[in-house]
Amino acid sequence: MTITGATRLLAIIGDPVAPLRSPAVFNAAFERLGHDMAFVAFQIKAGDLECAWPAFVAMANLDGLVITMPHKEAVLPLLAALGPTAQLTHSVNTIRRRADGAFEGDMFDGEGFRDGLERAGHPPRGKRILQVGCGAAGTAIACALARAGAATLTLYDSAAARLEALTALLHAHFPETKVQAGHPDPRGFDIVVNATPLGLRPGDPMSIDASLLSPSQIVADVIPNPEVTPLIAAARAIGCATTTGRDMHEGQARLAAAYLGIKGWDV
């Protein structure tokens, strides 16, 4: 890939950025598709986004941004408009520049996760699901699972306020799905979801007790790197079917590429 003064730019912003897969995935796609585009990562600490934002707005050759933790909620007041899922979940993971130069954004974490599940042969419709983690990504995932027809959705988060807020949101918008607060005990569920950051760093504890899993269950993790987290490794050792953060990431990338107007995307 040769970068010139005419190359259009996309970027991902977050902290940390070293484990992120997006630069490699997008740049490989641009080279394969023959697009004169490049994708870079900017490490911006929590609390510094508002200070950095005017620089992104001023970069006329920057067409869009992918947003990851800890900025998915903090970016909201900086945008000119929000898409429907961003309005529902109060978080954003993809931003595009409008014709007037302003930025608008939407959220594809949840639908990307659902897409990964379904492509792996595990549609959530009619399933009993345990989800651990109710942050920005967890909120989007829970909404996508309810929208896709999950029969029951049991939620757990160590922060009671996040858990209560997500439960109320789902009750209001998805009354067909039975939603309840619970505990990180996977017994009795069809699908078990880790939507926490646990597993991202070496030495992280598991979000659930893997010894309580059974081979008939599907275990899904949102962590993209390492792809095989301790939870996924333990689930596979028991005989569970699994989907990984890579499956979710590829689903997100397909949806984000369409939103950003990248033609020919087939990842």
Side-chain angles (χ1 to χ4, degrees):
M1 176 188 299
T2 300
I3 297 176
T4 72
T7 300
R8 307 304 300 178
L9 300 179
L10 295 170
I12 186 166
I13 58 176
D15 184 30
V17 295
L20 299 178
R21 293 175 45 84
S22 295
V25 170
F26 275 81
N27 286 320
F30 296 155
E31 188 166 8
R32 183 177 66 253
L33 297 170
H35 294 334
D36 188 9
M37 304 179 74
F39 192 104
V40 297
F42 293 114
Q43 185 167 348
I44 298 176
K45 295 180 180 179
D48 289 345
L49 182 61
E50 186 175 2
C51 178
W53 193 253
F56 295 127
V57 175
M59 295 176 189
N61 60 344
L62 179 68
D63 293 335
L65 293 159
V66 174
I67 311 295
T68 190
M69 62 179 188
H71 305 303
K72 293 179 181 182
E73 295 160 322
V75 75
L76 293 176
L78 305 175
L79 300 176
L82 299 176
T85 303
Q87 292 179 40
L88 176 64
T89 62
H90 304 290
S91 62
V92 163
N93 82 328
T94 308
I95 290 166
R96 64 186 178 190
R97 192 183 293 274
R98 306 191 313 187
D100 63 2
F103 283 116
E104 63 184 1
D106 210 344
M107 168 54 82
F108 301 107
D109 280 349
E111 293 302 327
F113 180 86
R114 175 205 52 77
D115 183 72
L117 265 182
E118 293 185 349
R119 286 174 182 258
H122 311 302
R125 178 168 295 279
K127 298 297 192 296
R128 300 162 297 170
I129 302 175
L130 169 67
Q131 178 180 308
V132 179
C134 300
T139 296
I141 289 168
C143 288
L145 293 173
R147 187 182 294 115
T152 65
L153 191 53
T154 299
L155 304 172
Y156 173 80
D157 194 284
S158 58
R162 283 201 302 254
L163 176 59
E164 292 170 6
L166 179 53
T167 301
L169 176 70
L170 294 168
H171 281 150
H173 291 276
F174 303 100
E176 299 85 0
T177 296
K178 180 181 178 182
V179 179
Q180 60 191 7
H183 301 282
D185 183 336
R187 289 174 291 188
F189 294 95
D190 301 310
I191 301 175
V192 177
V193 179
N194 173 47
T196 78
L198 294 175
L200 184 63
R201 296 175 175 84
D204 279 350
M206 293 189 202
S207 59
I208 66 164
D209 184 348
S211 69
L212 301 178
L213 293 168
S214 63
S216 62
Q217 292 176 299
I218 300 153
V219 177
D221 204 329
V222 302
I223 302 299
N225 189 6
E227 180 180 356
V228 180
T229 62
L231 175 60
I232 291 296
R236 289 178 176 175
I238 291 166
C240 300
T242 63
T243 65
T244 68
R246 177 172 183 169
D247 297 308
M248 174 180 171
H249 186 273
E250 290 179 352
Q252 289 171 309
R254 280 186 285 269
L255 296 166
Y259 183 73
L260 293 167
I262 301 170
K263 297 180 179 179
W265 191 276
D266 59 357
V267 171

